[in-house]
Amino acid sequence: MSPTIWIVLAIAGIGVAIGVYAIVRRQRYVSSLRERGWTFEGSPTWDAVAQLANPPFGLGFVRKPDDQITGSTSTGRPFQVIEYGAEHWKGWVGMVTLSRRLPELWIIGGQTQLRYGVTATSVPAPQQLGPGWKVGALDQAFGTEVMTPQLCERLTVMAAKQPGLNLSIDGDQLVVLDPPRKDPAVLAEWLEQLAGIAAAIDAMPLDQWIQPARPSRLTFYQHPEWYWVGVDDNLLQTTRVTRSGHSHSTSDVIRGRDGNGPPFVAFTHEWKTTRTESYTDSEGRSQTRQVTESHSEAVLGFQLPVRMPALSVGRRGFGRGISFESGAFNEKFKVTADDTKFAYDVIHPRQMEYLMADPPAPFEFDGDWVWFSPGQHSHEVIEHSSAFLNGFLARVPRFVWRNLGLPDTRYPALLSGVSQT
């Protein structure tokens, strides 16, 4: 055989040996976990993370639970260690169960950073923790009450054996990034320390802070009423999507609402088109062939409590729209409507200021729906459009809603200080 063949065979042999070694090593690792009475699952279901909503969970549409270790600590406290992948993070997460569902809390010390996407109010870190610690909570009073000397002592002990500690409360789970999962003995000691922190929190008089249980479905960070559907092709019959082409399908379907705002549906619509094109082959003969192209669009719609006259608001482009008293607004936006008076009633000076302060994606009122043209389907786009629309509807005067058949506005409390007369 030639030297090239020998090299190929040698490389293949090395690859097989590495693969066999990896399989044997994994089997030994799994066996060592089971010897401790723990359970290992190589393909956990979504239920493993369905109750978790704080980063790295609860963000984006890419959520991939992988290898999972479950069991109980020496005190009987349930734990989970799981590999998890998302759009902005991938790694291992360890957690133990608390006795109550509590508000969001973040405690960070050492060589680690605040998790992507977290929004929280800074809480002064107790001096007992020493320099470099950061504490955050949605409610500063809760954060201050939790940071007792007993908890600080437990945190200091746990942080002493690792380069950084990134800990959070997520409902009834005490969650830490990057557990030392490679060595089961080290992991067991780490879990006992984490259980000690959980015990310190359980011992505090925090019943006034108990949170309601979350539904068992994939939710979104700080949007408790959003939830993941995945696929719902029935939407292709009831929503405003491109009708041409074939092989239509939906993906990443999200439903929900924010507070008293209108419910929404958001998804990616995919379809294909096929056309016949002519070409000349290598022998100069004319031929035809079928060419299939794939397409996609982001769909985002909010359902209103009443049908509205047609009205569209978009960026200024070709064509003329309705002229308003603000020249700056007219230069930036194009507004069209079937009923010009309705447009003037809704797009009043305060509404124009609101639109110009943080311009939304183009949107259009069509019956009892508002359809946005977001350009992309993402957590951030839905969040921005929902917040914008809530503010927009809060600025629609009360007499407009009454003229449309409602006894009063459905959105009086969305913004303070907004006149709706």
Side-chain angles (χ1 to χ4, degrees):
M1 290 187 292
S2 68
T4 300
I5 295 177
W6 280 111
I7 292 173
V8 171
L9 291 175
I11 292 174
I14 293 172
V16 170
I18 292 174
V20 170
Y21 174 75
I23 292 173
V24 171
R25 184 179 180 182
R26 181 178 174 85
Q27 290 176 337
R28 288 177 177 173
Y29 176 71
V30 172
S31 295
S32 67
L33 297 174
R34 291 172 175 161
E35 288 171 1
R36 292 179 173 274
W38 299 350
T39 300
F40 178 84
E41 175 59 60
S43 300
T45 65
W46 288 112
D47 291 341
V49 296
Q51 292 291 324
L52 298 164
N54 296 344
F57 309 99
L59 292 178
F61 307 147
V62 177
R63 307 187 187 186
K64 297 180 179 179
D66 205 338
D67 290 352
Q68 177 197 43
I69 306 166
T70 56
S72 298
T73 65
S74 62
T75 57
R77 190 177 295 271
F79 74 80
Q80 176 181 201
V81 177
I82 190 167
E83 187 177 12
Y84 183 78
E87 293 178 13
H88 301 285
W89 190 86
K90 180 176 176 59
W92 283 79
V93 186
M95 65 199 78
V96 296
T97 302
L98 297 167
S99 63
R100 295 160 292 190
R101 299 189 61 83
L102 296 173
E104 180 181 337
L105 179 74
W106 308 90
I107 304 174
I108 298 173
Q111 299 174 19
T112 186
Q113 300 293 323
L114 187 66
R115 302 179 199 178
Y116 176 88
V118 170
T119 57
T121 300
S122 178
V123 176
Q127 292 185 355
Q128 182 178 347
L129 286 176
W133 286 82
K134 297 179 181 178
V135 180
L138 289 184
D139 191 314
Q140 193 173 44
F142 171 72
T144 301
E145 186 171 348
V146 170
M147 299 304 297
T148 63
Q150 293 78 12
L151 178 61
C152 291
E153 181 179 352
R154 298 273 190 172
L155 291 167
T156 302
V157 171
M158 189 170 188
K161 294 187 176 182
Q162 54 193 72
L165 181 63
N166 195 316
L167 179 147
S168 70
I169 292 178
D170 190 344
D172 65 351
Q173 298 296 306
L174 187 61
V175 181
V176 182
L177 301 188
D178 303 319
R181 49 91 191 175
K182 292 184 179 180
D183 186 332
V186 175
L187 178 60
E189 180 183 359
W190 184 88
L191 287 166
E192 294 298 327
Q193 292 178 334
L194 186 58
I197 294 176
I201 295 174
D202 283 349
M204 300 177 193
L206 300 173
D207 284 356
Q208 64 170 316
W209 299 102
I210 292 178
Q211 304 292 295
R214 296 170 182 160
S216 184
R217 60 191 185 190
L218 291 178
T219 56
F220 291 79
Y221 178 53
Q222 294 190 0
H223 296 283
E225 294 188 71
W226 293 18
Y227 62 96
W228 171 272
V229 177
V231 174
D232 183 359
D233 288 349
N234 290 327
L235 291 170
L236 299 174
Q237 309 303 319
T238 59
T239 58
R240 201 161 87 170
V241 298
T242 300
R243 304 292 179 185
S244 60
H246 59 90
S247 303
H248 294 262
S249 65
T250 60
S251 63
D252 294 334
V253 178
I254 311 297
R255 287 187 176 273
R257 69 191 307 166
D258 285 314
N260 294 324
F264 71 83
V265 62
F267 59 94
T268 296
H269 168 221
E270 298 172 327
W271 73 99
K272 296 179 180 180
T273 56
T274 300
R275 56 186 171 82
T276 301
E277 69 175 19
S278 301
Y279 71 99
T280 302
D281 63 18
S282 59
E283 298 181 1
R285 294 173 299 189
S286 295
Q287 304 282 355
T288 60
R289 58 188 173 194
Q290 299 291 310
V291 177
T292 299
E293 297 177 325
S294 298
H295 312 270
S296 68
E297 63 183 351
V299 181
L300 174 58
F302 295 80
Q303 190 168 21
L304 299 172
V306 65
R307 294 180 65 85
M308 306 276 274
L311 172 74
S312 69
V313 180
R315 298 299 178 88
R316 191 73 182 178
F318 295 105
R320 294 175 61 87
I322 297 173
S323 180
F324 292 86
E325 60 187 69
S326 170
F329 180 84
N330 293 332
E331 291 179 1
K332 197 167 188 177
F333 292 94
K334 177 183 177 181
V335 178
T336 61
D338 290 346
D339 184 340
T340 303
K341 181 181 182 305
F342 175 75
Y344 286 137
D345 289 342
V346 172
I347 312 294
H348 48 74
R350 292 183 304 279
Q351 195 77 277
M352 285 186 267
E353 292 175 2
Y354 178 65
L355 281 158
M356 294 181 69
D358 189 12
F363 64 97
E364 182 176 349
F365 288 85
D366 182 7
D368 60 347
W369 282 85
V370 181
W371 296 102
F372 283 77
S373 301
Q376 64 175 341
H377 179 44
S378 72
H379 182 133
E380 293 80 6
V381 166
I382 299 171
E383 186 173 57
H384 182 270
S385 298
S386 178
F388 162 78
L389 184 60
N390 284 353
F392 184 92
L393 296 176
R395 289 171 169 81
V396 173
R398 280 190 167 90
F399 75 84
V400 172
W401 296 110
R402 293 181 186 130
N403 291 343
L404 293 171
L406 291 181
D408 204 347
T409 175
R410 295 280 185 90
Y411 313 100
L414 293 177
L415 290 171
S416 60
V418 175
S419 173
Q420 296 176 314
T421 57

